[in-house]
């Protein structure tokens, strides 16, 4: 689950990290009022969407007066950044910036640990730094039993600054960031930019936190921060239907039972020259309603030109899946061809059910994937 910057800032502030105060506004008038309350001249107006790179997209702007804040807010509130409509802006006193650094912590699969990362080359292009000058990013594995120890935080902070007064501030912030990361159940927490002001104060000007969904059950206060209106509607629907769905950029919609088979299916789609439109695991239970929800979600993606069912019947019964497909096609028209591969529990019944409505099922996974890729390439014209 993604948090908005203003929510992440609040968590960092509670962890004791210096973050400028701010107010959320949803209209230019609210933005103006917020700027008036802040009162200290220049403010920064920032789009609140679940996307990075807002600066480059025109979603972060400075304003000298409350009137200008209203004007800038009206422009930012009209933006769509990376497909996400801007519904809210954050108004905060503008900081003066001497230098910009990056600090972050992620759960690293390779080392099976949290890993802290710092770079003196912070600002808006950390991805480019990672790609072009990776030597400017310093990493440190953290032993989750002890957390980030002070000497480790100091070592990292010395990669950012030479002035010891700044190093000490940064080290303190790194330890607090690590604590906030653990407390939020995050898979990622980052501050970019972490800035030095003309008064030699180290301050966080941006905050990003991604929470591990598996932590939400035991962190109701974090779960309460969920903003459904700014999430992908299909992912919301999938969560409500208990499906695991990740949207991708291809055109072959995949509906599969089991995460392993779903991964294998996506691999095979790629192997045969296609691009999967999604990862979708209908899971182990065999409830036709889940299949209906899955088809609704996959068909809602306009990029999808063919739908591939790949079912290996075990606990998931093939006849239930077939009934789900039939029920769905009765409830709404599926405009793209469906390729069905199923084998295993109650396969024969499934074939009979599908044949009853003029649909065919295949048993060979390779052939089914090849067919789905081919049909999708033709633009879904003929099944
Ligand atoms: P992002 O592009 O989505 O990561 O948004 P950021 O919040 O990181 O802002 C992008 C850039 O805008 C920062 O790297 C800064 O250079 C600039 N910026 C953000 N806040 C301020 C501020 O308070 N004062 C000044 N002068 N620049 C800011
Ligand atoms: Mn940033």
């Amino acid at each position: 689950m993604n948090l908005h910057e203003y929510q992440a800032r609040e968590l960092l502030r509670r962890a004791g990290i210096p973050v400028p105060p701010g107010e959320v506004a949803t209209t230019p008038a609210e933005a103006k009022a917020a700027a008036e309350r802040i009162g200290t001249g220049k403010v920064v107006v920032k789009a609140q969407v679940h996307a990075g790179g807002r600066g480059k997209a025109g979603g972060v702007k400075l304003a000298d007066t409350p009137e200008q804040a209203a004007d800038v807010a009206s422009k930012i509130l009209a933006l769509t950044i990376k497909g996400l409509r801007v519904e809210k802006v954050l108004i905060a006193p503008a900081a003066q910036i001497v230098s910009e650094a990056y600090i972050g912590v992620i759960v690293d699969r390779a080392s099976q640990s949290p890993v802290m990362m710092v770079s003196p080359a912070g600002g808006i292009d950390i991805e480019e730094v990672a790609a072009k000058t990776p030597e400017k990013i310093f990493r440190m594995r953290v032993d989750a039993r002890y957390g980030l120890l002070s000497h480790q935080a100091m070592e990292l902070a010395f990669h950012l600054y030479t002035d010891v007064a700044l190093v000490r501030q940064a080290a303190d912030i790194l330890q607090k960031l690590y604590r906030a990361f653990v407390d939020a159940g995050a898979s990622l927490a980052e501050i970019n930019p972490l800035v030095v002001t003309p008064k030699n104060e180290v301050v966080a000007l941006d905050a990003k936190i991604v929470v591990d969904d598996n932590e939400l059950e035991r962190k109701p206060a974090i779960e309460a921060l969920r903003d459904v209106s700014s999430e992908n509607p299909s992912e919301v629907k999938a969560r409500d239907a208990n499906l695991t769905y990740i949207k991708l950029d291809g055109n072959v919609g995949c509906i599969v039972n089991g995460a392993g088979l779903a991964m294998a299916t996506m691999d095979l789609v790629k192997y045969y020259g296609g691009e999967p439109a999604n990862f979708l695991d209908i899971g182990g239970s065999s409830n036709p309603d889940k299949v209906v929800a899955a088809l609704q979600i996959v068909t809602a993606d306009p990029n999808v030109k063919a739908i591939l069912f790949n079912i290996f019947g075990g606990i998931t019964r093939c006849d239930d899946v077939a009934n789900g497909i039939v029920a769905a096609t009765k409830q709404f028209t599926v405009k793209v061809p469906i390729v069905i591969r199923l084998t295993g529990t109650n396969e024969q019944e499934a074939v009979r059910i599908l044949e009853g409505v003029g649909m065919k099922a295949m048993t060979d996974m390779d052939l089914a994937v090849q067919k789905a890729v081919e049909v999708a390439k033709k633009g879904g014209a003929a099944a």
Side-chain angles (χ1 to χ4, degrees), residues 75-97:
K75 292 196 178 99
I76 294 179
L77 285 164
L79 290 178
T80 298
I81 300 177
K82 296 186 181 161
L84 300 163
R85 282 189 39 129
V86 180
E87 314 265 3
K88 299 175 203 166
V89 290
L90 174 70
I91 316 291
Q96 279 179 284
I97 301 177

Side-chain angles (χ1 to χ4, degrees), residues 193-374:
L194 180 73
V195 304
V196 175
T197 68
K199 288 187 189 156
N200 264 359
E201 284 165 344
V202 182
V203 179
L205 284 202
D206 187 11
K208 175 171 167 136
I209 293 181
V210 180
V211 180
D212 181 338
D213 288 348
N214 294 316
E215 293 264 4
L216 291 171
E217 203 173 353
R218 56 197 185 117
K219 299 205 187 294
I222 302 289
E223 166 84 62
L225 299 176
R226 186 187 289 287
D227 178 4
V228 176
S229 71
S230 62
E231 291 181 329
N232 176 319
S234 291
E235 287 180 10
V236 174
K237 193 171 166 62
R239 190 170 57 240
D240 292 345
N242 245 326
L243 302 166
T244 313
Y245 171 81
I246 314 279
K247 188 182 161 1
L248 302 167
D249 294 328
N251 59 8
V252 181
C254 303
I255 302 180
V256 188
N257 70 309
L261 187 60
M263 295 300 283
T265 306
M266 289 163 44
D267 279 350
L268 212 54
V269 166
K270 286 211 155 230
Y271 179 78
Y272 286 118
E275 287 293 334
N278 63 276
F279 171 100
L280 197 161
D281 173 12
I282 60 169
S285 99
S286 65
N287 177 349
D289 291 345
K290 273 191 161 183
V291 177
V292 176
L295 263 171
Q296 277 169 341
I297 290 163
V298 172
T299 51
D301 176 354
N303 293 338
V304 169
K305 297 291 179 256
I307 295 168
L308 170 66
F309 273 87
N310 187 10
I311 305 299
F312 187 81
I315 297 167
T316 306
R317 288 167 33 187
C318 291
D319 57 328
D320 277 341
V321 174
N323 278 324
I325 296 174
V326 173
T329 50
K330 277 188 186 143
Q331 283 176 33
F332 55 94
T333 351
V334 179
K335 294 198 188 94
V336 295
I338 303 180
V339 177
I340 305 163
R341 180 265 178 163
L342 43 80
T343 188
T345 311
N346 294 0
E347 177 180 331
Q348 260 108 52
E349 282 93 316
V351 171
R352 265 197 296 280
I353 292 162
L354 291 168
E355 277 173 357
V357 295
M359 295 176 107
K360 281 198 218 89
M362 308 170 76
T363 49
D364 188 287
M365 178 158 155
D366 279 89
L367 293 179
V369 171
Q370 274 174 286
K371 183 164 180 201
V373 169
E374 194 183 306

Side-chain angles (χ1 to χ4, degrees), residues 44-68:
V44 61
V45 182
K46 310 181 75 179
Q48 298 298 290
V49 283
H50 294 158
R54 295 163 303 163
K56 275 190 178 171
V60 178
K61 291 228 150 52
L62 298 172
D64 290 322
T65 62
E67 289 70 30
Q68 217 185 343

